[in-house]
Amino acid sequence: MSRYTRIEFLAACASRHVRDGENVFGGTGLPLLAALLAKNTHAPNANLISEAGFIDAMPREVPLSVADSRYYYGCSASIGLIETLGFILQAGRIDVGFLGAAQIDEYGNLNTTYIGPYEAPKIRLPGSGGGNDIASSAKRLIIMMTHDKRKFVKQLDHMTSPGHLEGPGSRERWSLVGGGPEVVITDMCQMDFDPVTRKIRLMSVHPGYTVDDVLDNVMFDLIVPDSVPTTEEPTQEQIEIMHRLDPHGVYLGKARD
Amino acid sequence: MSRYTRIEFLAACASRHVRDGENVFGGTGLPLLAALLAKNTHAPNANLISEAGFIDAMPREVPLSVADSRYYYGCSASIGLIETLGFILQAGRIDVGFLGAAQIDEYGNLNTTYIGPYEAPKIRLPGSGGGNDIASSAKRLIIMMTHDKRKFVKQLDHMTSPGHLEGPGSRERWSLVGGGPEVVITDMCQMDFDPVTRKIRLMSVHPGYTVDDVLDNVMFDLIVPDSVPTTEEPTQEQIEIMHRLDPHGVYLGKARD
Amino acid sequence: MVPDGAGLFWGGFGYQRAPIAFAQELVRQKKRDLTIYTCGSEVDLEIMAGAGVAGRFEIAFVAIEAIGLAYNMRRRVAEGKVEIEDYSNLAMAMRFLGGALNVPFMPIRSLMGTDMANKSRYRGDKKLRVIDCPFTGQRVCLVPSVQPDFSIVHVQRVDQTGNAQIDGIVGEDIEGSRCGKKLIVLAEELVDEAEIRSRPDQTRIPAMYVDHVVVLPFIAHPMQCHNYYDYDLEFLQFFHKMTRKEETWQEYLDEYIFGVDDHWSYLDKVGWERLNQLRAKRPWGY
Amino acid sequence: MVPDGAGLFWGGFGYQRAPIAFAQELVRQKKRDLTIYTCGSEVDLEIMAGAGVAGRFEIAFVAIEAIGLAYNMRRRVAEGKVEIEDYSNLAMAMRFLGGALNVPFMPIRSLMGTDMANKSRYRGDKKLRVIDCPFTGQRVCLVPSVQPDFSIVHVQRVDQTGNAQIDGIVGEDIEGSRCGKKLIVLAEELVDEAEIRSRPDQTRIPAMYVDHVVVLPFIAHPMQCHNYYDYDLEFLQFFHKMTRKEETWQEYLDEYIFGVDDHWSYLDKVGWERLNQLRAKRPWGY
């Protein structure tokens, strides 16, 4: 068993959802670290795309921005947003997209824009960026969040990006291209979505946490299956590769645990 | 006085309508020869654009195709159709566009597609190409045709490209970007358009022809002003430059005159 | 690989990067009922219309530009064997852009007020739609996007994974290469993936779009391929002359298309001395 | 040159080619009531929102990405001094594409079903419109095109006539540079026109679009400019720390923007030894 931090666990867990050969929108931050980790372990042929315009990128170290020059050298094409978000994403060519969020509801709808009422927002967050586009059009969506009860809400303050909207049939009603959220990964558990109701469902609990810990930390009714397995831990190799990819500890923190 | 052929006259005459510094859509054929002649004489800073994607081109010899590599070397940018017909032309950035036609009516509307009824066309012509786009969106349109009575018709077999449509206000009704035809140049005369009725009007007659010659060779009522000047002849310099630009005589014919 | 009845985006523009070898191979394989989508193509359209492999064309232009009119197309249209749905170059380029973007239509400011908007061959009210803009009230023309079964694009260079570079103008090939359900890239030269990845700014078609790659020299003959070879003016004039009448066209077809086994035999027939004289010179690219 | 109240397309994307020097100059000239149109910008938006030169933003994103949130923007929004009309990156890029094409709107398949489509800050029903496609019956979202007074674009190289080259990703700058009524190009380096004309494939912005050119080094500092210099991580973190509170932000503003005469003085203040250490290394470009 390896020693690991919560962040390392989150990144390693998310990386397992990338399959070899897939077209992946990585973004920045932890999702990107997860995608890069996948490419450096079990998914060497994953095609890592940055919405800024980099296609099939293989950065030596983790970029800080979707437009970071670290994405450039060795990528197969360097173009622009109409290419990545239009020709690639909106055309249905992205297998998996990663997103984070400040709030998520039980259908996997996401808020990354405002806390407080729209008319007089208390806190302005970054906004959609390419988030709404990715949530609308990627075949599968992987959501990564640090676990905090206030983020798992019954009613979003603002819906920035579509999850399963109001449930079965709603994405089809708006002719959305992609399939919507598949999994939500936090530093406490993994959740997926019930195929019938499209509501969020507990999938696995990370070592050191219980089902009750999770239930205490969501503000909606979480579906809990009869048996909830324990999430696989990161390997020593995964942790080492992660730190090689983030030598300055921008995402992982300066100190090893 | 220089000796010249009809084609040389036509090209030289058309070239005078290009002003220095203008953005010009030249196409191929005689119009291109005219535009190149202008650039090599009185309009050295004309920005010659080919719809295939060449911007500010300065070919050594006349290209045979809008996509001809002869447009490439020394041009300032080499892009594509969305750039030239969209960002440049449709955005209203083209000062003057050249077009030819198989039929023209009294409002300067053009047919380059079918002779005979649409349902069972007798003759298929090239079609619009960028013609409809240029006629819709260029600030000024210069039409070049060899003079043949059957081409100057009361009713087009097919309207490929808009002139002044049904007269005053019709271009505005369709929100067309450009100003429509300004002048029609044949190997017999020049015609412009009455600013009030938008109908075609005799402007000047080439040496060797009379007003009656022209009236005998159009099938609609041509407006004839009180005084019709004689068109300026090509200079020896213009003729020499033309032949340097078309060394194989593709447009001018193999033989001098 | 291309079944009868398929729709094809057809790349190249004017005399540049025309996929002539592919057209000739479609003829040899006796394909039928294809629909061709392109802005303006020339010798290739004449071959496909003349040999009867395609019955429908959604295009803006057909002629050999400075060389002259398209006689094969003219005969086939008069015979009723070919139907052309007429658009302008911008309209077709935008239809490909819409297809590449996976949206159902694109707005343009051409076609309105003319028979291009009023008459349709077989698309009926799916040819285009003129609407009042909900934001400005101005009239605007919506043209339906195209997502054909295949995109056929001819480029200068490709690597073993499919990353392709185009030199010179791109015409409508950026949008066209992305709008088809499958993309077949025809290239003059195979280069190493490391070379492509050292200059990613130059990649015009990333490998992720590419389904099949064919590498052959002189794919566009008698047309040109920038930085590789010029057009063959004499052959082009000969081709054009042979299309003038049905009998001479059939002669051409028998000799230069059915009479050769494949593109290599075609090039042998044209002759390598002749072909080598067409090679592009620096810095001109032709 | 830019009057109060003007609308500006703002180029660069993420950490790449941000026109920081131009933002700082707008602050020094005490411009007011600008409207900024861009996909996602970061330090530049923080400067303009923080200094009060712009009151309206039609954007998709504001934060310093990996470094953290946009504190200036957060405070100004909470104070009611800044209004943000929210779109997605694709929506903004398509709005610039529509502006460049001079059509009134563009169709997209994002935003629908969410508050992005349901709520508007000040555009009201001119924010977007969801319609049923007249060809397919599918729902599609129309976003209104943008044709602002100015486009501000930062590039690597420009010639004396205005032809500009961009290395690396272009973000939304191709469309953005063509959508404005006037285009101001900021470049790191002046090259000769003959150099541009010997490689016309590399020209991303032809001179015919360009109204004004400014040539200065390190325009994007503390952000990066591909093939020229990397971001200044330490300065970026310092900048971000200074924006956390209004008092420290005012200190930063007084010292680094109002406290210097122009961009050269700013660079002197940052220090040339530091700047030179940021210069890009081959083959990486950063």
Side-chain angles (χ1 to χ4, degrees), chain C residues 271-283:
Chain C
W272 284 92
E273 191 181 335
R274 177 188 198 101
L275 292 171
N276 279 300
Q277 279 166 4
L278 300 173
R279 285 196 194 281
K281 287 158 209 66
R282 287 164 190 264

Side-chain angles (χ1 to χ4, degrees), chain C residues 84-95:
Chain C
I84 299 178
E85 196 70 278
D86 296 293
Y87 289 90
S88 69
N89 275 339
L90 178 61
M92 288 309 297
M94 292 296 284
R95 296 183 69 195

Side-chain angles (χ1 to χ4, degrees), chain C residues 20-229:
Chain C
I20 308 283
F22 198 83
Q24 298 188 146
E25 187 56 33
L26 290 174
V27 173
R28 272 192 294 274
Q29 295 188 16
K30 297 199 161 56
K31 300 294 180 189
R32 286 295 175 267
D33 300 321
L34 303 179
T35 299
I36 305 294
Y37 303 88
T38 191
C39 285
S41 285
E42 314 195 344
V43 168
D44 31 16
L45 293 196
E46 282 290 83
I47 290 171
M48 291 188 286
V53 302
R56 289 182 163 185
F57 293 84
E58 304 197 7
I59 58 176
F61 183 87
V62 57
I64 322 291
E65 285 181 270
I67 303 294
L69 297 167
Y71 294 112
N72 279 357
M73 193 65 93
R74 175 184 293 191
R75 278 196 307 279
R76 295 296 175 260
V77 168
E79 293 160 2
K81 289 184 180 157
V82 156
E83 292 186 292
I84 299 178
E85 196 70 278
D86 296 293
Y87 289 90
S88 69
N89 275 339
L90 178 61
M92 288 309 297
M94 292 296 284
R95 296 183 69 195
F96 303 136
L97 178 57
L101 287 166
N102 195 28
V103 291
F105 57 79
M106 289 300 267
I108 63 169
R109 301 185 66 172
S110 300
L111 309 187
M112 294 182 286
T114 71
D115 286 336
M116 303 281 280
N118 299 330
K119 297 197 175 173
S120 168
R121 197 58 71 187
Y122 55 83
R123 290 188 68 95
D125 65 359
K126 304 257 190 223
K127 181 179 179 186
L128 56 81
R129 210 63 76 84
V130 177
I131 65 158
D132 293 330
C133 168
F135 299 104
T136 65
Q138 280 183 330
R139 286 200 184 154
V140 62
C141 177
L142 306 184
V143 287
S145 301
V146 183
Q147 295 187 326
D149 300 305
F150 293 88
S151 289
I152 313 298
V153 177
H154 174 205
V155 306
Q156 276 82 1
R157 285 172 301 280
V158 72
D159 72 16
Q160 56 271 49
T161 69
N163 292 302
Q165 294 178 337
I166 295 176
D167 295 346
I169 52 108
V170 295
E172 80 268 23
D173 284 348
I174 299 296
E175 300 77 25
S177 58
R178 278 118 172 115
C179 75
K181 295 190 186 79
K182 297 264 177 196
L183 169 59
I184 300 175
V185 167
L186 315 169
E188 295 285 328
E189 188 180 358
L190 183 70
V191 296
D192 196 79
E193 190 184 343
E195 157 77 7
I196 298 278
R197 286 185 185 267
S198 70
R199 304 187 299 155
D201 286 3
Q202 310 302 311
T203 308
R204 293 283 178 270
I205 305 174
M208 65 177 295
Y209 295 109
V210 181
D211 295 283
H212 303 280
V213 170
V214 179
V215 180
L216 282 173
F218 290 100
I219 288 165
H221 182 271
M223 298 307 220
Q224 72 188 170
C225 180
H226 189 76
N227 279 347
Y228 284 70
Y229 47 89

Side-chain angles (χ1 to χ4, degrees), chain A residues 79-109:
Chain A
I79 315 183
L81 284 179
I82 296 289
E83 183 80 39
T84 53
L85 295 175
F87 300 161
I88 295 175
L89 175 66
Q90 190 169 248
R93 290 184 165 105
I94 292 293
D95 296 299
V96 52
F98 282 95
L99 286 181
Q103 290 181 333
I104 182 170
D105 71 13
E106 59 193 322
Y107 287 112
N109 301 307

